[in-house]
Amino acid sequence: MKKVAIITGADGCMGSEIARAVAIEGYHVIMASKNLERAEEKRKWIISESGNEDVEIIPIDLSSLKTVKAFADEIKCRGEKVALLMNNSGILEQEGRTITEDGMERTVQVNYVGHYLLTRLLVPLMERGSRIVSMSSLTYMWGRIYFPSFFDTGCRGFFWRIFPYSNSKLAITLFTLKLARKLKDKGITVNCADPGIVATDIIYFKMWFDPITKTVFAPIIRTPRQGAATAIHLLLSPEVEGQTGTFNLSCHIKKLKRKYTESPLIDILWQKTEERVKTWL
C-alpha cells in the first residue's frame, strides 16, 4: 500500500509544485482543495509530470470548519495512515475584512485555525516517521496576537490585510513549536517552511504601487517551484529525518529568537484555539 500524502491548497501555484514532487516519490497524493475545477487541471498536470496516477482530489474549505471535519472523517473512514501532511493553503485578503460562518476573520481561519483543526484531527492517523510541514513566512516577525481580536477581527484597531496575515503566520509558527514538543516522543516531526517572496498574486495589492513592488522585489523574487523547495525538502529529504520544531528558509534552519521559542503565548494560543474548535475535535 502506498503511503498517503495530504497537501492543502494543492490547486495553487506552490501547492501543485509540492504535490508534483511528492507524487514523483510514489506517494498516494490527496489534493485537499477548494477550487475543484482548477484542482482537476492541476491533477492532470501532476500525473503527466510524475507518471504517478495515484493522485486524487478531496474538497475542503478551510474557512468552514465543518468541511475540515468532513475531510478528516473521510480520511479516517479509509483506515489509512498519513505519512505526510502539508499545511500549504494561505490567503491575503484583497477587498477588506471578511468574517466566516464560524465567526472568525477569514485570513486567520484559513491560514491558521483551519490547519490547526485539520492537523489535530489527522495526528491520530500518523505514526513514527510521519512529517507535518506548515507554510509560514518571515512576516511572523510583524505579528501581534491579542485575544479575542485575533480570532474575531484578525487584528486590533485599523484593518490592513497584512496585519491578520502576519498574525496568522506568527500563530502557525507558534503552533509548530507546540505541536513538535507534543509529538516528539512519538517520532512525528513538525516544521515550518518559509517560501520567501514568490511570484504569486498574494504579493500584489491591486493598487497603484504594484509595478513598483514588482520592480523592487524583482532581484529576489522566486518562482513557485523555487518557493516550494523548502517545504519539499522538509517533507521528503532524508537529511532532515528527526528534525522537528524548526523554522526553515532556503532549505536551511533559520533560528528563532527566544522571545518566540520561550513565549508564554505558545501555550495560551494553543488553549484559546482549542476552545474555538472544540465542537469539531
Side-chain angles (χ1 to χ4, degrees), residues 30 35 38 48 77 80 115 142 152-153 175 188 198 232:
I30 297 176
N35 188 326
R38 187 171 62 191
S48 68
C77 286
E80 299 173 318
H115 283 127
W142 304 340
D152 297 342
T153 58
F175 171 58
I188 300 170
V198 182
I232 293 168

Side-chain angles (χ1 to χ4, degrees), residues 17-36:
E17 290 289 354
I18 295 168
R20 168 188 171 275
V22 171
I24 288 172
E25 294 300 315
Y27 284 81
H28 170 201
V29 179
I30 297 176
M31 302 173 65
S33 306
K34 179 182 178 181
N35 188 326
L36 301 184

